[in-house]
Amino acid sequence: MDGAERLRGGPAAAVRDPRLFEEFYRRHVDAVMRFVARRVDDPHTAADLTAEIFLAVLDSAHSYRPRLGSETAWLYGIARNVVSSERRRVAREAERDLRFSGRRFLEADDIARIEDRLDAESPGRRALAALASLPEGERAVMELIAVDQLTVTEAAAALGIRQVTARVRLHRARKALRDTADVKTPEPEPAAPAGTQDPSLLHVAKGGARA
């Protein structure tokens, strides 16, 4: 956490003061939108989820602990819960049209701006797709560290687990990715189909992690 975050008082102060909350929103909205854009490819959904994440801050501000990581890492923990809830909601719906009911209107400029962000984050979505075969706990840690660029400490805080647990899960995830890559490399293969592992992700699987 940097000095500016400390001086502004953090999330708890922001939810008590509309001016501070606006500063908090402006400080983090781009990072939150990038997080969402790595996980969805529809601009309306991205806009709605970003708004929901900041609404969730109002109920969760008391849970922020500066010693466990930055405001951004804490927000990613909230964002992950919001995105997961949305996925479960969509999976339960019988009619796709229900996803669009009550959706706020977006201006053409808003849609274009969000579509640009979605395009920019498409490599992140491919990397996340490559992690789909991992167990949930290991995938969650790997997502936050390899794709969202959190430290091990911040990822542990975002997921509400101990640092040693995060490190164990990260080790297992990287081993699984390396094993999968080894299985695929003995003989030359045709061009990889969509959904196979992203080379950049394999590089991460062999690398270190920031504490």
Side-chain angles (χ1 to χ4, degrees), residues 54-127:
F54 282 99
L55 286 175
V57 167
L58 299 176
D59 295 325
S60 304
H62 65 281
S63 70
Y64 175 59
R65 299 291 183 270
R67 61 183 175 81
L68 296 179
S70 66
E71 290 179 352
T72 301
W74 175 76
L75 275 168
Y76 280 3
I78 294 174
R80 189 172 183 278
N81 290 336
V82 170
V83 172
S84 296
S85 294
E86 169 67 5
R87 287 172 175 166
R88 290 192 296 269
R89 182 186 72 81
V90 171
R92 290 193 300 264
E93 289 179 349
E95 297 289 338
R96 181 177 174 84
D97 288 346
L98 292 179
R99 291 187 62 192
F100 300 95
S101 61
R103 176 159 291 170
R104 72 182 183 89
F105 176 75
L106 290 178
E107 298 289 347
D109 288 347
D110 293 330
I111 294 175
R113 176 173 48 82
I114 296 174
E115 285 178 337
D116 287 343
R117 178 59 52 79
L118 293 173
D119 288 343
E121 298 300 334
S122 59
R125 291 197 297 277
R126 290 195 297 273

